[in-house]
């Protein structure tokens, strides 16, 4: 069972980690954000988020062992790339929709509760 505080932290960390990779292309497209999230999108999001959390944990451990700032930046860049690839490899969701759902969940307590319930399953 996942710790609720850890899940909430993961939402923030995952958004911060993945967003820089896609923010510029997403803004350039100026596509309207769909506020409705289907059950299949929620399921796909949760699969992707679990992968992102695992990657964040792995790279977090590496970061703790490094003191050189340039090396830390390289590790964070690797982590961002790997997280974006993990999201893109998840069926039924792409990186833009993942970030949209992440942002919606941060602003919508009901959606966040739905996602946390699915994460605990």
């Amino acid at each position: 069972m996942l710790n609720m505080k850890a899940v909430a932290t993961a939402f923030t960390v995952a958004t911060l980690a993945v967003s820089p990779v896609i923010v510029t292309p997403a803004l350039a497209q100026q596509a309207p954000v769909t506020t409705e999230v289907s059950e299949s999108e929620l399921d796909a999001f949760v699969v992707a988020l679990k992968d992102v959390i695992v990657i964040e944990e792995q790279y977090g451990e590496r970061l703790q062992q490094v003191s050189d700032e340039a090396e830390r930046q390289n590790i964070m860049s690797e982590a961002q790339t790997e997280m974006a690839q993990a999201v893109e490899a998840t069926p039924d969701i792409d990186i833009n929709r993942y970030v949209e759902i992440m942002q919606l969940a941060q602003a919508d307590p009901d959606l966040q509760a739905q996602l946390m319930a699915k994460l605990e399953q």
Side-chain angles (χ1 to χ4, degrees):
M1 187 163 154
L2 293 172
N3 177 325
M4 294 299 272
K5 185 174 181 177
V7 171
T9 301
F11 274 129
T12 303
V13 170
T15 299
L16 294 174
V18 177
S19 291
V21 176
I22 58 87
V23 167
T24 304
L27 290 176
Q29 293 173 2
Q30 292 297 317
V33 175
T34 304
T35 57
E36 293 293 319
V37 182
S38 70
E39 197 67 26
S40 64
E41 285 179 314
L42 286 177
D43 292 338
F45 177 87
V46 168
V47 169
L49 180 59
K50 286 179 179 180
D51 290 343
V52 167
I53 291 169
V54 168
I55 294 165
E56 190 275 332
E57 289 172 353
Q58 292 169 344
Y59 279 90
E61 291 172 11
R62 285 180 56 193
L63 281 172
Q64 290 176 356
Q65 299 170 4
V66 175
S67 59
D68 179 63
E69 188 58 31
E71 191 173 346
R72 291 179 65 81
Q73 291 298 322
N74 286 338
I75 291 171
M76 287 190 291
S77 178
E78 281 179 40
Q80 288 173 341
T81 300
E82 193 170 326
M83 288 179 206
Q85 290 171 342
V87 171
E88 287 291 346
T90 304
D92 302 323
I93 196 164
D94 63 24
I95 194 81
N96 291 328
R97 188 61 177 150
Y98 176 88
V99 172
E100 286 173 0
I101 294 170
M102 180 72 70
Q103 291 169 342
L104 290 169
Q106 289 175 336
D108 181 346
D110 292 335
L111 179 58
Q112 189 173 27
Q114 282 181 292
L115 291 171
M116 287 186 177
K118 285 185 175 290
L119 279 167
E120 291 181 337
Q121 291 178 353

mmCIF file of all heavy atoms in Angstrom, residues 31-39 41-42 97 100-105 107-108 110-112 114:
data_model
loop_
_atom_site.group_PDB
_atom_site.id
_atom_site.type_symbol
_atom_site.label_atom_id
_atom_site.label_comp_id
_atom_site.label_asym_id
_atom_site.label_seq_id
_atom_site.Cartn_x
_atom_site.Cartn_y
_atom_site.Cartn_z
ATOM 1 N N ALA A 31 -2.854 23.680 -27.693
ATOM 2 C CA ALA A 31 -4.047 22.835 -27.768
ATOM 3 C C ALA A 31 -4.892 23.087 -26.523
ATOM 4 O O ALA A 31 -4.351 23.262 -25.436
ATOM 5 C CB ALA A 31 -3.655 21.369 -27.844
ATOM 6 N N PRO A 32 -6.206 23.105 -26.669
ATOM 7 C CA PRO A 32 -7.047 23.305 -25.493
ATOM 8 C C PRO A 32 -6.936 22.117 -24.548
ATOM 9 O O PRO A 32 -6.839 20.976 -24.980
ATOM 10 C CB PRO A 32 -8.458 23.408 -26.073
ATOM 11 C CG PRO A 32 -8.378 22.782 -27.417
ATOM 12 C CD PRO A 32 -6.967 22.932 -27.894
ATOM 13 N N VAL A 33 -6.933 22.397 -23.256
ATOM 14 C CA VAL A 33 -6.840 21.350 -22.256
ATOM 15 C C VAL A 33 -8.223 20.733 -22.066
ATOM 16 O O VAL A 33 -9.205 21.435 -21.882
ATOM 17 C CB VAL A 33 -6.324 21.916 -20.914
ATOM 18 C CG1 VAL A 33 -6.351 20.849 -19.831
ATOM 19 C CG2 VAL A 33 -4.932 22.486 -21.076
ATOM 20 N N THR A 34 -8.277 19.420 -22.140
ATOM 21 C CA THR A 34 -9.525 18.707 -21.910
ATOM 22 C C THR A 34 -9.641 18.451 -20.414
ATOM 23 O O THR A 34 -8.787 17.794 -19.832
ATOM 24 C CB THR A 34 -9.534 17.367 -22.676
ATOM 25 O OG1 THR A 34 -9.301 17.646 -24.043
ATOM 26 C CG2 THR A 34 -10.833 16.640 -22.501
ATOM 27 N N THR A 35 -10.686 18.998 -19.806
ATOM 28 C CA THR A 35 -10.829 18.836 -18.370
ATOM 29 C C THR A 35 -11.482 17.513 -17.993
ATOM 30 O O THR A 35 -11.401 17.093 -16.858
ATOM 31 C CB THR A 35 -11.641 19.997 -17.755
ATOM 32 O OG1 THR A 35 -12.899 20.061 -18.397
ATOM 33 C CG2 THR A 35 -10.895 21.305 -17.896
ATOM 34 N N GLU A 36 -12.127 16.869 -18.939
ATOM 35 C CA GLU A 36 -12.709 15.557 -18.684
ATOM 36 C C GLU A 36 -11.613 14.501 -18.831
ATOM 37 O O GLU A 36 -10.862 14.524 -19.797
ATOM 38 C CB GLU A 36 -13.826 15.261 -19.682
ATOM 39 C CG GLU A 36 -15.032 16.159 -19.530
ATOM 40 C CD GLU A 36 -15.775 15.936 -18.215
ATOM 41 O OE1 GLU A 36 -15.929 14.765 -17.803
ATOM 42 O OE2 GLU A 36 -16.189 16.937 -17.606
ATOM 43 N N VAL A 37 -11.558 13.610 -17.866
ATOM 44 C CA VAL A 37 -10.573 12.536 -17.902
ATOM 45 C C VAL A 37 -11.334 11.218 -17.862
ATOM 46 O O VAL A 37 -12.047 10.932 -16.900
ATOM 47 C CB VAL A 37 -9.589 12.627 -16.722
ATOM 48 C CG1 VAL A 37 -8.541 11.529 -16.816
ATOM 49 C CG2 VAL A 37 -8.925 13.999 -16.667
ATOM 50 N N SER A 38 -11.178 10.426 -18.918
ATOM 51 C CA SER A 38 -11.887 9.148 -18.988
ATOM 52 C C SER A 38 -11.255 8.134 -18.036
ATOM 53 O O SER A 38 -10.114 8.294 -17.592
ATOM 54 C CB SER A 38 -11.856 8.604 -20.415
ATOM 55 O OG SER A 38 -10.544 8.184 -20.740
ATOM 56 N N GLU A 39 -12.010 7.089 -17.775
ATOM 57 C CA GLU A 39 -11.510 6.016 -16.903
ATOM 58 C C GLU A 39 -10.262 5.360 -17.504
ATOM 59 O O GLU A 39 -9.305 5.058 -16.789
ATOM 60 C CB GLU A 39 -12.619 4.975 -16.691
ATOM 61 C CG GLU A 39 -12.380 4.058 -15.533
ATOM 62 C CD GLU A 39 -12.440 4.747 -14.171
ATOM 63 O OE1 GLU A 39 -13.115 5.770 -14.026
ATOM 64 O OE2 GLU A 39 -11.787 4.232 -13.244
ATOM 65 N N GLU A 41 -8.095 6.814 -19.458
ATOM 66 C CA GLU A 41 -6.985 7.755 -19.298
ATOM 67 C C GLU A 41 -6.457 7.728 -17.869
ATOM 68 O O GLU A 41 -5.244 7.795 -17.656
ATOM 69 C CB GLU A 41 -7.424 9.178 -19.654
ATOM 70 C CG GLU A 41 -7.576 9.425 -21.128
ATOM 71 C CD GLU A 41 -8.023 10.837 -21.435
ATOM 72 O OE1 GLU A 41 -8.960 11.340 -20.777
ATOM 73 O OE2 GLU A 41 -7.425 11.436 -22.341
ATOM 74 N N LEU A 42 -7.366 7.628 -16.902
ATOM 75 C CA LEU A 42 -6.928 7.529 -15.507
ATOM 76 C C LEU A 42 -6.075 6.290 -15.293
ATOM 77 O O LEU A 42 -5.018 6.347 -14.650
ATOM 78 C CB LEU A 42 -8.136 7.489 -14.561
ATOM 79 C CG LEU A 42 -8.899 8.786 -14.341
ATOM 80 C CD1 LEU A 42 -10.108 8.535 -13.446
ATOM 81 C CD2 LEU A 42 -8.022 9.860 -13.759
ATOM 82 N N ARG A 97 -0.784 14.677 -22.606
ATOM 83 C CA ARG A 97 -1.983 14.349 -21.835
ATOM 84 C C ARG A 97 -1.614 13.993 -20.402
ATOM 85 O O ARG A 97 -2.334 14.331 -19.454
ATOM 86 C CB ARG A 97 -2.765 13.203 -22.496
ATOM 87 C CG ARG A 97 -4.096 12.951 -21.844
ATOM 88 C CD ARG A 97 -5.022 14.152 -21.921
ATOM 89 N NE ARG A 97 -6.321 13.830 -21.333
ATOM 90 C CZ ARG A 97 -7.090 14.715 -20.736
ATOM 91 N NH1 ARG A 97 -6.739 15.984 -20.684
ATOM 92 N NH2 ARG A 97 -8.243 14.346 -20.215
ATOM 93 N N GLU A 100 -1.180 17.198 -18.629
ATOM 94 C CA GLU A 100 -2.499 17.820 -18.443
ATOM 95 C C GLU A 100 -3.224 17.188 -17.260
ATOM 96 O O GLU A 100 -3.781 17.893 -16.408
ATOM 97 C CB GLU A 100 -3.359 17.662 -19.700
ATOM 98 C CG GLU A 100 -2.953 18.540 -20.849
ATOM 99 C CD GLU A 100 -3.732 18.236 -22.122
ATOM 100 O OE1 GLU A 100 -4.607 17.328 -22.120
ATOM 101 O OE2 GLU A 100 -3.471 18.904 -23.134
ATOM 102 N N ILE A 101 -3.220 15.859 -17.213
ATOM 103 C CA ILE A 101 -3.906 15.168 -16.115
ATOM 104 C C ILE A 101 -3.221 15.472 -14.790
ATOM 105 O O ILE A 101 -3.885 15.699 -13.769
ATOM 106 C CB ILE A 101 -3.984 13.644 -16.381
ATOM 107 C CG1 ILE A 101 -4.883 13.378 -17.591
ATOM 108 C CG2 ILE A 101 -4.494 12.895 -15.147
ATOM 109 C CD1 ILE A 101 -4.847 11.949 -18.100
ATOM 110 N N MET A 102 -1.904 15.530 -14.790
ATOM 111 C CA MET A 102 -1.151 15.864 -13.575
ATOM 112 C C MET A 102 -1.561 17.244 -13.076
ATOM 113 O O MET A 102 -1.843 17.432 -11.889
ATOM 114 C CB MET A 102 0.351 15.820 -13.864
ATOM 115 C CG MET A 102 1.226 16.153 -12.683
ATOM 116 S SD MET A 102 1.262 14.864 -11.429
ATOM 117 C CE MET A 102 2.191 13.610 -12.285
ATOM 118 N N GLN A 103 -1.630 18.202 -13.981
ATOM 119 C CA GLN A 103 -2.001 19.566 -13.604
ATOM 120 C C GLN A 103 -3.456 19.628 -13.130
ATOM 121 O O GLN A 103 -3.767 20.312 -12.159
ATOM 122 C CB GLN A 103 -1.763 20.518 -14.769
ATOM 123 C CG GLN A 103 -0.284 20.706 -15.058
ATOM 124 C CD GLN A 103 -0.003 21.423 -16.369
ATOM 125 O OE1 GLN A 103 -0.856 21.521 -17.246
ATOM 126 N NE2 GLN A 103 1.215 21.922 -16.503
ATOM 127 N N LEU A 104 -4.328 18.917 -13.822
ATOM 128 C CA LEU A 104 -5.732 18.867 -13.399
ATOM 129 C C LEU A 104 -5.855 18.272 -11.995
ATOM 130 O O LEU A 104 -6.611 18.772 -11.159
ATOM 131 C CB LEU A 104 -6.571 18.053 -14.393
ATOM 132 C CG LEU A 104 -6.806 18.685 -15.758
ATOM 133 C CD1 LEU A 104 -7.420 17.660 -16.713
ATOM 134 C CD2 LEU A 104 -7.697 19.915 -15.646
ATOM 135 N N ALA A 105 -5.113 17.211 -11.738
ATOM 136 C CA ALA A 105 -5.174 16.540 -10.438
ATOM 137 C C ALA A 105 -4.666 17.448 -9.324
ATOM 138 O O ALA A 105 -5.195 17.424 -8.202
ATOM 139 C CB ALA A 105 -4.386 15.238 -10.466
ATOM 140 N N ALA A 107 -5.028 20.587 -9.208
ATOM 141 C CA ALA A 107 -6.020 21.639 -8.995
ATOM 142 C C ALA A 107 -7.385 21.092 -8.574
ATOM 143 O O ALA A 107 -8.229 21.855 -8.107
ATOM 144 C CB ALA A 107 -6.172 22.461 -10.271
ATOM 145 N N ASP A 108 -7.601 19.791 -8.736
ATOM 146 C CA ASP A 108 -8.917 19.193 -8.482
ATOM 147 C C ASP A 108 -8.795 18.088 -7.430
ATOM 148 O O ASP A 108 -8.358 16.974 -7.737
ATOM 149 C CB ASP A 108 -9.468 18.623 -9.794
ATOM 150 C CG ASP A 108 -10.846 18.004 -9.655
ATOM 151 O OD1 ASP A 108 -11.304 17.756 -8.521
ATOM 152 O OD2 ASP A 108 -11.468 17.755 -10.702
ATOM 153 N N ASP A 110 -10.965 16.164 -6.128
ATOM 154 C CA ASP A 110 -11.708 14.939 -6.448
ATOM 155 C C ASP A 110 -10.925 14.051 -7.407
ATOM 156 O O ASP A 110 -10.856 12.833 -7.222
ATOM 157 C CB ASP A 110 -13.069 15.282 -7.060
ATOM 158 C CG ASP A 110 -14.011 15.939 -6.053
ATOM 159 O OD1 ASP A 110 -13.838 15.714 -4.830
ATOM 160 O OD2 ASP A 110 -14.907 16.677 -6.488
ATOM 161 N N LEU A 111 -10.348 14.662 -8.424
ATOM 162 C CA LEU A 111 -9.538 13.899 -9.377
ATOM 163 C C LEU A 111 -8.309 13.326 -8.677
ATOM 164 O O LEU A 111 -7.943 12.173 -8.897
ATOM 165 C CB LEU A 111 -9.128 14.772 -10.568
ATOM 166 C CG LEU A 111 -8.254 14.115 -11.625
ATOM 167 C CD1 LEU A 111 -8.922 12.872 -12.219
ATOM 168 C CD2 LEU A 111 -7.910 15.118 -12.725
ATOM 169 N N GLN A 112 -7.689 14.130 -7.832
ATOM 170 C CA GLN A 112 -6.524 13.645 -7.097
ATOM 171 C C GLN A 112 -6.902 12.450 -6.222
ATOM 172 O O GLN A 112 -6.169 11.458 -6.159
ATOM 173 C CB GLN A 112 -5.919 14.756 -6.244
ATOM 174 C CG GLN A 112 -4.594 14.366 -5.629
ATOM 175 C CD GLN A 112 -3.907 15.507 -4.926
ATOM 176 O OE1 GLN A 112 -4.556 16.441 -4.449
ATOM 177 N NE2 GLN A 112 -2.605 15.454 -4.854
ATOM 178 N N GLN A 114 -9.328 10.313 -6.802
ATOM 179 C CA GLN A 114 -9.530 9.173 -7.702
ATOM 180 C C GLN A 114 -8.191 8.532 -8.064
ATOM 181 O O GLN A 114 -8.058 7.304 -8.066
ATOM 182 C CB GLN A 114 -10.203 9.629 -9.000
ATOM 183 C CG GLN A 114 -11.674 9.882 -8.916
ATOM 184 C CD GLN A 114 -12.194 10.308 -10.279
ATOM 185 O OE1 GLN A 114 -11.875 11.388 -10.760
ATOM 186 N NE2 GLN A 114 -12.974 9.439 -10.900
#
